[in-house]
């Protein structure tokens, strides 16, 4: 397998958006295996098929683009010069690509802006594995930048050949099935799935199928249990307040 540098369009341009739809980036891989807390596999498929609603970047994402370069500056001060912003493809996994925040020889550098964690979460580890496989890296150093602490290298993710090959082979099959093919991933509870399905449902009245009746019964049961849990929650909060009064 051979890793190759790829020229990509300017970030945020129409050409860049089209390029992102035409394959899977390393940051998509956690969604492929349903381990991304922010984007489900169903939402990713909608995005790649051009059927998802445009969503503005969050404040955290915008801040990340601003402050993460400072994390790379810190890494250079500690470890020496790095090359920034390279995008790699790999002939073994033609539908996958990886854009690295930084690289020092065969070591990748991934900068993350967050106040939420110190131990690297699973979706970031998966992104690092994908980067190692596609760009042929020995390891990836994760630099954490927060608004409360100085930048620091919080983890080194070592190469695991079995995990990498399984992940990227799965991604290739996922793209062929759910983006190039006519099938969609199993529906999930994501907001993106809900918005999409709201647009596709019909307006005609019809008799419910047996499956729909069963789903409605399950929905009523879940909502009743949820209402009971909410009442119990309010009671416990007030009882706790009473002990503090």
């Amino acid at each position: 397998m051979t890793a190759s540098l790829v020229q990509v369009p300017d970030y945020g341009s129409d050409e860049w958006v089209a390029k992102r739809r035409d394959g899977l980036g390393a940051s998509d891989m956690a969604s492929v295996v349903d381990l991304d807390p922010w984007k489900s596999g169903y939402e990713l498929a909608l995005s790649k098929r051009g059927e998802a609603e445009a969503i503005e970047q969050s404040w955290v994402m915008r801040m990340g683009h601003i402050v993460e370069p400072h994390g790379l500056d810190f890494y250079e001060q500690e470890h020496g010069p790095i090359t920034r912003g390279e995008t790699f493809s790999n002939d073994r996994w033609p539908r996958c690509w990886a854009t690295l925040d930084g690289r020092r020889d065969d070591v990748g550098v991934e900068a993350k802006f967050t106040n939420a964690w110190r131990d690297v979460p699973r979706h970031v580890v998966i992104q690092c594995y994908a980067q190692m496989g596609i760009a042929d890296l020995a390891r990836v150093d994760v630099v954490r930048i927060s608004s409360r602490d100085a930048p620091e290298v919080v983890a080194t993710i070592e190469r695991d050949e079995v995990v990498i090959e399984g992940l990227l082979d799965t991604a290739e099959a996922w793209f062929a099935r759910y983006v190039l093919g006519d099938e969609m991933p199993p529906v999930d509870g994501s907001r993106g799935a809900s918005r999409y399905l709201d647009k596709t449902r019909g307006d005609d009245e019809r008799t419910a199928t047996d499956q729909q009746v069963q789903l409605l019964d399950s929905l009523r049961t879940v909502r009743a249990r949820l209402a009971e849990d909410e009442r119990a929650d309010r009671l416990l909060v007030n009882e706790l307040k009473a002990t503090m009064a």
Side-chain angles (χ1 to χ4, degrees):
M1 56 186 178
T2 304
S4 305
L5 280 169
V6 178
Q7 294 295 322
V8 296
D10 292 337
Y11 176 82
S13 66
D14 291 342
E15 293 80 8
W16 179 84
V17 172
K19 171 66 178 174
R20 283 191 61 85
R21 286 181 182 169
D22 195 36
L24 294 168
S27 60
D28 293 323
M29 297 302 166
S31 297
V32 167
V33 294
D34 286 322
L35 290 175
D36 191 324
W38 314 116
K39 180 183 287 187
S40 71
Y42 197 94
E43 290 174 304
L44 178 64
L46 289 174
S47 175
K48 297 300 179 182
R49 294 162 69 107
E51 298 177 10
E53 294 181 5
I55 299 177
E56 292 187 6
Q57 284 191 330
S58 68
W59 178 86
V60 172
M61 294 174 67
R62 293 195 300 271
M63 283 298 298
H65 288 300
I66 294 171
V67 305
E68 284 170 3
H70 298 296
L72 300 179
D73 293 341
F74 158 80
Y75 188 89
E76 284 191 315
Q77 292 171 7
E78 297 291 319
H79 300 282
I82 60 175
T83 306
R84 306 189 187 199
E86 295 173 311
T87 298
F88 285 86
S89 65
N90 194 297
D91 57 5
R92 175 167 176 178
W93 301 288
R95 288 293 180 177
C96 300
W97 46 272
T99 297
L100 309 179
D101 289 341
R103 180 177 62 88
R104 180 172 57 87
D105 298 323
D106 63 348
V107 177
V109 184
E110 180 63 27
K112 293 295 185 185
F113 170 65
T114 179
N115 291 325
W117 51 260
R118 281 187 181 277
D119 295 331
V120 182
R122 289 184 299 178
H123 66 281
V124 177
V125 174
I126 290 170
Q127 180 182 358
C128 294
Y129 279 136
Q131 292 172 347
M132 283 184 270
I134 296 166
D136 197 19
L137 304 172
R139 71 173 196 264
V140 174
D141 292 338
V142 180
V143 181
R144 177 181 179 271
I145 311 103
S146 82
S147 61
R148 294 193 283 258
D149 306 299
E152 60 178 326
V153 177
V154 292
T156 293
I157 312 300
E158 300 287 350
R159 188 178 180 93
D160 185 321
E161 211 67 48
V162 173
V163 172
I164 289 169
E165 291 185 7
L167 173 65
L168 295 175
D169 287 347
T170 297
E172 284 286 322
W174 187 96
F175 193 89
R177 182 176 182 180
Y178 297 129
V179 181
L180 301 180
D182 295 329
E183 189 177 353
M184 282 291 290
V187 70
D188 54 46
S190 64
R191 292 182 179 179
S194 179
R195 288 192 294 265
Y196 173 74
L197 294 170
D198 281 343
K199 294 190 301 182
T200 59
R201 67 184 182 185
D203 295 327
D204 297 338
E205 292 187 5
R206 63 188 67 185
T207 302
T209 65
D210 290 342
Q211 180 189 23
Q212 289 168 335
V213 170
Q214 292 175 358
L215 290 171
L216 284 168
D217 286 342
S218 297
L219 179 61
R220 292 189 187 99
T221 300
V222 168
R223 287 184 171 175
R225 189 161 57 238
L226 179 60
E228 182 61 32
D229 288 343
E230 290 175 345
R231 285 192 292 271
D233 178 273
R234 292 194 295 269
L235 174 60
L236 288 170
V237 168
N238 284 342
E239 288 180 337
L240 182 60
K241 289 178 180 179
T243 66
M244 301 167 63

